[in-house]
Amino acid sequence: QSRTYLTLGTEGMFPYWFDVEGAVFLSNEGELLARAEGTYDLRLTQRLILQPAAEVTFSAQNIPELEIGSGLSSVELGLRLRYEIRREFAPYIGVSYERKFGKAADFVRLSGHDPETTKVVIGLRAWF
């Protein structure tokens, strides 16, 4: 079953250069979700940046087919190290840890998976 979402989001910067984002999602099925994310760029050198990140997801109701539980559904913590060849072009490597909570964790277990996952990420940050 496909879903369509109406999304309202905001993006900004807190004091001390913390980047923050927030969004609320309302699906065509009447499901209400919210997500908040924060990152911080810690400059090790002019080109080498360490970026910790945190993201939390909330849901107003259980959505078993999407493995989402009501309340606090998941938390993801990450750490990326990127090298800015140019500000617009920066390869990175990092690690990401995600944990599902409550009913979301139960739904994931029922599908035969672990509610905690750790991933290594490699990518390229670019914009034009």
Side-chain angles (χ1 to χ4, degrees):
Q1 176 178 357
S2 66
R3 286 179 169 72
T4 303
Y5 292 91
L6 172 67
T7 304
L8 177 63
T10 185
E11 185 176 343
M13 189 172 288
F14 277 177
Y16 305 105
W17 302 98
F18 283 93
D19 287 320
V20 293
E21 296 178 21
V24 177
F25 306 89
L26 179 63
S27 79
N28 60 322
E29 301 289 323
E31 301 149 342
L32 183 64
L33 302 137
R35 181 180 63 220
E37 180 180 358
T39 62
Y40 181 75
D41 284 356
L42 179 62
R43 288 199 172 269
L44 303 176
T45 69
Q46 286 295 323
R47 295 182 182 261
L48 196 61
I49 294 109
L50 187 64
Q51 184 185 56
E55 180 180 307
V56 293
T57 306
F58 300 92
S59 177
Q61 64 272 54
N62 292 323
I63 311 170
E65 59 273 18
L66 299 179
E67 296 181 341
I68 296 173
S70 64
L72 175 63
S73 187
S74 67
V75 171
E76 185 173 350
L77 304 172
L79 190 62
R80 291 183 180 177
L81 181 65
R82 77 175 182 267
Y83 183 78
E84 289 186 345
I85 296 168
R86 297 186 59 167
R87 276 191 71 72
E88 302 86 2
F89 189 81
Y92 64 83
I93 186 166
V95 64
S96 174
Y97 168 80
E98 183 178 10
R99 170 82 165 91
K100 304 278 187 178
F101 294 94
K103 287 299 265 181
D106 294 341
F107 295 143
V108 170
R109 281 188 201 98
L110 283 173
S111 69
H113 297 98
D114 192 340
E116 293 183 50
T117 57
T118 302
K119 303 174 213 165
V120 173
V121 293
I122 298 172
L124 178 66
R125 177 178 153 167
W127 74 85
F128 304 94

